[in-house]
Amino acid sequence: MPEPTRTDILIIGAGPVGLFAVFELGLFDMKCHLIDILDRPGGQCAELYPEKPIYDIPGYPIVSAQGLVDRLMEQIAPFKPGFSFNRMVTGLEKLDGGGFRVTTDENEVFEAKVVVIAAGGGSFQPKRPPIPGIEAYEQESVFYSVRRMEEFRGHDVMIVGGGDSALDWTLNLQPLARSVTLVHRRPEFRAAPDNVNKMYALQEMKQLEFLVGQVTGLKGADGKLSSATVKGLDGDVEVPCTRLLPFFGLTMKLGPIAEWGLNLHENLIPVDTEKFETSVPGIFAIGDINTYPGKLKLILSGFHEAALMTQAAKRIVSPGERVVFQYTTSSTSLQKKLGVA
Ligand code: FAD
């Protein structure tokens, strides 16, 4: 087993609620590490509605969802949290001597005194495109995210989709791939216009290929792809392809949380409303993933839950230490932690 990364608090999920928990825990000197399946912080705000305005965050009459995530990242920066993105937490077990061991789908191991589940609606999982036989190539030649760019060096890469992920990776992988072909059903994209322009400019310079059409078939052997058939307006074309990256959006599923031995109610984790602790002492659940009488799935509810959870977490991380209530406006010690005094 690899050497574990040790931290006071392991937070599963870097959505708005997981991020704000870092702030509350940080004020009480607890070091946090966050793990998220997505490749960046923000959870639903960043993945589902980054440009939509939110009107019910206290103190912000209007803020875009991505704007809120950016402000939260700024607010927690003084506490220097650790982040592991592109990782799914798969295992959570109790250690004999106290604390917990958390493992990811990349076989990393974390040990923490307290675990905070801020997993929202569960894991974002990629939608599989309707290409016959695609399963046989998954994890060998077909990937739904880019974890290590080096794995694409020197390959004939085909990227399918018209959103930000498809365009980002087309531009990022182009310099190191042998060839890059972007395939999308139509010439209009949902991605940032600047990236679309950059893609068209590279196509003009013949540094990548853009095809309007759909991938209808794959050829290869033993999980290793050699080519893909693209059905376009002028019929079928066979394109060399040793790495395929389909970006067809994400769905949310509870995922491995169901296997961690916690009490669940309709795929949510019941908690008390004093500490937001689960049926296992030392494991807390905050934000959209929890349930209790009167629960509202709002960002501000999750922020409140993070503040109360922190009081209980501190008693586990520093047993016997008095938990002192202080205001950030008047406490020099809190202001020092924030780097403003
Ligand atoms: P999430 O934002 O869901 O984040 C959870 C994170 O956990 C995700 O990033 C996920 O990848 C990660 N995760 C889950 N399981 C694992 C695992 N096993 N391993 C690793 N990572 C994992 N709320 C408001 O208050 N006001 C609004 O105006 C508002 N508008 C909304 C509009 C839309 C279109 C939608 C979809 C939601 C809206 N919401 C709004 C709801 C709000 O976005 C959620 O309440 C909020 O995102 C919950 O935050 P969270 O941190 O609990 O969970």
Side-chain angles (χ1 to χ4, degrees):
M1 189 181 291
E3 185 60 22
T5 301
R6 294 195 169 82
T7 182
D8 291 328
I9 315 283
L10 193 291
I11 303 179
I12 303 172
V17 176
L19 293 179
F20 188 65
V22 173
F23 182 81
E24 289 295 322
L25 291 157
L27 289 179
F28 286 85
D29 303 312
M30 287 174 275
K31 184 87 190 135
C32 300
H33 193 100
L34 300 93
I35 304 180
D36 204 297
I37 298 158
L38 299 178
D39 60 3
R40 65 215 126 101
Q44 293 175 49
C45 294
E47 187 59 40
L48 300 181
Y49 61 107
E51 290 176 358
K52 281 200 171 170
I54 307 179
Y55 301 99
D56 59 352
I57 302 298
Y60 282 105
I62 176 171
V63 61
S64 72
Q66 185 59 49
L68 174 66
V69 174
D70 294 344
R71 296 288 85 73
L72 286 166
M73 289 298 284
E74 198 181 310
Q75 193 172 21
I76 66 175
F79 302 113
K80 300 187 174 59
F83 285 100
S84 297
F85 291 115
N86 285 313
R87 303 283 186 274
M88 181 191 277
V89 174
T90 44
L92 169 56
E93 57 183 301
K94 237 177 143 152
L95 292 169
D96 286 342
F100 300 90
R101 178 179 295 132
V102 169
T103 43
T104 72
D105 56 351
E106 287 281 313
N107 294 324
E108 292 136 323
V109 181
F110 295 83
E111 285 182 8
K113 294 171 190 157
V114 163
V115 170
V116 176
I117 304 178
S123 348
F124 283 102
Q125 293 184 358
K127 289 186 192 157
R128 179 183 280 151
I131 305 172
I134 190 168
E135 297 91 330
Y137 298 99
E138 285 172 353
Q139 304 314 323
E140 180 84 37
S141 308
V142 175
F143 299 93
Y144 295 98
S145 64
V146 177
R147 294 197 167 188
R148 277 177 289 273
M149 283 173 56
E150 271 308 305
E151 286 174 358
F152 294 78
R153 184 179 291 280
H155 279 277
D156 292 313
V157 179
M158 179 175 284
I159 295 172
V160 193
D164 282 315
S165 298
L167 268 290
D168 278 354
W169 288 117
T170 298
L171 299 179
N172 281 308
L173 295 177
Q174 186 276 330
L176 50 90
R178 184 160 67 175
S179 70
V180 170
T181 308
L182 174 66
V183 180
H184 183 43
R185 279 172 296 141
R186 46 180 182 267
E188 293 81 35
F189 290 88
R190 280 172 285 114
D194 187 42
N195 282 347
V196 177
N197 293 339
K198 283 185 189 151
M199 186 280 292
Y200 276 125
L202 287 169
Q203 187 199 24
E204 193 83 349
M205 293 187 282
K206 302 214 177 317
Q207 292 189 7
L208 58 78
E209 178 120 40
F210 167 50
L211 298 175
V212 176
Q214 281 172 294
V215 179
T216 53
L218 300 174
K219 284 200 183 126
D222 301 329
K224 293 188 178 20
L225 262 183
S226 54
S227 68
T229 310
V230 179
K231 188 179 167 60
L233 295 174
D234 303 325
D236 288 355
V237 274
E238 197 74 14
V239 182
C241 165
T242 54
R243 289 278 182 274
L244 179 69
L245 277 166
F247 292 110
F248 278 52
L250 300 167
T251 53
M252 285 173 98
K253 299 205 175 104
L254 184 62
I257 295 170
E259 291 143 34
W260 296 341
L262 301 166
N263 285 350
L264 290 177
H265 175 69
E266 294 177 353
N267 281 346
L268 296 167
I269 304 176
V271 289
D272 64 79
T273 50
E274 180 196 345
K275 299 180 285 191
F276 301 94
E277 201 165 29
T278 67
S279 55
V280 178
I283 302 182
F284 298 83
I286 56 174
D288 278 14
I289 192 73
N290 76 14
T291 180
Y292 52 83
K295 166 77 182 182
L296 291 178
K297 285 192 185 184
L298 285 175
I299 295 166
L300 74 85
S301 316
F303 288 174
H304 159 81
E305 294 159 14
L308 266 63
M309 169 278 292
T310 295
Q311 303 285 312
K314 181 67 181 170
R315 291 186 172 90
I316 298 173
V317 171
S318 311
E321 206 177 289
R322 205 160 64 90
V323 183
V324 185
F325 174 81
Q326 300 178 89
Y327 290 126
T328 54
T329 35
S330 41
S331 159
T332 317
S333 114
L334 292 185
Q335 289 166 4
K336 278 192 183 142
K337 293 175 197 178
L338 293 168
V340 292

